Amino acid sequence: MRPLVHAVGVRKAFGLHEVLKGVDLSVEAGQVLCLIGPSGSGKSTMLRCINHLETIDGGELTVDGLHVGYERRGDVLREIPDREAARRRAEIGMVFQHFNLFPHMTVLENLVEAPVRVKKEKPAAAHDRARELLNRVGLADKGEAFPRQLSGGQQQRVAIARALAMEPKLMLFDEPTSALDPELVGDVLGVMEDLARTGITMIVVTHEMGFARAAADMVVFMSEGRIVEQGPPKSILSNPTQERTRAFLARVL
């Protein structure tokens, strides 16, 4: 069985600065993988390459057997039209650090916008699913509120529900708690832990080692654009084999 996410030799540079230096990564369907490492190690760039928010400069990257922004013609990868790339990207949910909710829309409107416009769902069905998702993230009473009326933690839980409203096959989280006040982090992590138990495939860039220990099937430590080591949480977080990993964990645990 092929992995849901498969990266081979992925490279990405911004100008002369090479951020990803030949990353190999496989994520199985239903697996929760946490990417950890110091700032600037390439974790967030890797996420953005997976859903084609950034183009790759080398290597190969597929989700469910398809290149998100490319197609192979012989030995050459060529970019596909924006509409087709958007269709493939719609199957990948992404939650950012700063929520990115539409400020002029209510919470409910934020959730139904993409399913109706992109997937052409019937509005009634989209609204029903949106209410179910708000209940799931503990915000059943906030459907008519605007984002500015919510705390940061509540906004991030809405962002998770909005991503789930598209029924993605893969969820990406880019340090989803880093912009939150400490007392708000627990509610967001609780929603993510509940989500992990449902069997959806998740890749999470995080500095929350407790979440990685509790929810991840696999932990990958990155540094300077490369994967240094990877394995089950107990192995990587409690008994890493690489000195670079040990030095990082000594600072964050």
Side-chain angles (χ1 to χ4, degrees):
M1 181 182 293
R2 70 187 178 205
L4 183 68
V5 179
H6 190 50
V8 179
V10 170
R11 294 183 175 274
K12 175 64 184 178
F14 297 102
L16 298 177
H17 179 48
E18 193 172 27
V19 180
L20 299 176
K21 304 173 181 178
V23 174
D24 297 334
L25 184 69
S26 290
V27 185
E28 304 295 331
Q31 192 173 46
V32 177
L33 182 143
C34 282
L35 283 173
I36 66 171
S39 297
S41 59
K43 308 180 303 295
S44 294
T45 299
M46 188 64 194
L47 276 198
R48 294 175 66 86
C49 288
I50 289 172
N51 73 349
H52 199 58
L53 290 177
E54 300 287 354
T55 58
I56 63 174
D57 298 323
E60 198 158 352
L61 205 167
T62 59
V63 176
D64 203 15
L66 295 174
H67 301 88
V68 176
Y70 306 89
E71 64 181 1
R72 178 171 291 285
R73 296 179 183 174
D75 293 331
V76 178
L77 285 178
R78 299 185 184 276
E79 286 200 62
I80 58 177
D82 290 344
R83 179 173 293 184
E84 175 62 16
R87 186 188 67 79
R88 295 184 187 181
R89 188 185 292 126
E91 297 183 326
I92 304 171
M94 187 157 182
V95 178
F96 300 87
Q97 296 179 31
H98 294 289
F99 327 137
N100 291 358
L101 300 175
F102 299 121
H104 62 289
M105 293 183 178
T106 66
V107 165
L108 200 60
E109 289 168 342
N110 265 277
L111 266 65
V112 302
E113 176 74 5
V116 171
R117 289 188 178 271
V118 178
K119 295 181 69 176
K120 308 302 180 185
E121 286 187 13
K122 293 182 178 179
H127 276 81
D128 287 345
R129 177 161 173 76
R131 291 188 182 93
E132 290 175 6
L133 288 169
L134 288 176
N135 184 60
R136 183 171 170 181
V137 300
L139 296 171
D141 61 336
K142 299 297 184 181
E144 301 307 317
F146 287 90
R148 66 180 179 274
Q149 298 172 308
L150 305 179
S151 70
Q154 289 172 331
Q155 289 186 61
Q156 193 62 294
R157 283 185 278 157
V158 172
I160 294 171
R162 183 177 65 174
L164 292 172
M166 290 292 285
E167 300 184 291
K169 63 179 65 174
L170 170 66
M171 284 285 289
L172 308 177
F173 295 84
D174 187 8
E175 299 193 30
T177 61
S178 65
L180 301 179
D181 292 334
E183 65 268 22
L184 303 178
V185 167
D187 288 341
V188 173
L189 292 179
V191 168
M192 292 172 62
E193 288 184 25
D194 287 343
L195 185 59
R197 287 190 283 268
T198 69
I200 191 170
T201 312
M202 297 168 57
I203 304 177
V204 184
V205 172
T206 186
H207 290 292
E208 299 288 345
M209 298 301 124
F211 171 82
R213 193 183 300 274
D217 300 298
M218 184 74 66
V219 173
V220 173
F221 174 70
M222 290 186 67
S223 180
E224 298 181 348
R226 294 185 172 91
I227 291 177
V228 176
E229 66 178 307
Q230 57 187 305
K234 186 175 181 180
S235 172
I236 299 301
L237 299 180
S238 300
N239 192 31
T241 63
Q242 301 299 310
E243 178 57 35
R244 183 68 187 89
T245 314
R246 289 196 291 268
F248 170 77
L249 292 173
R251 291 197 301 271
V252 301
L253 289 179

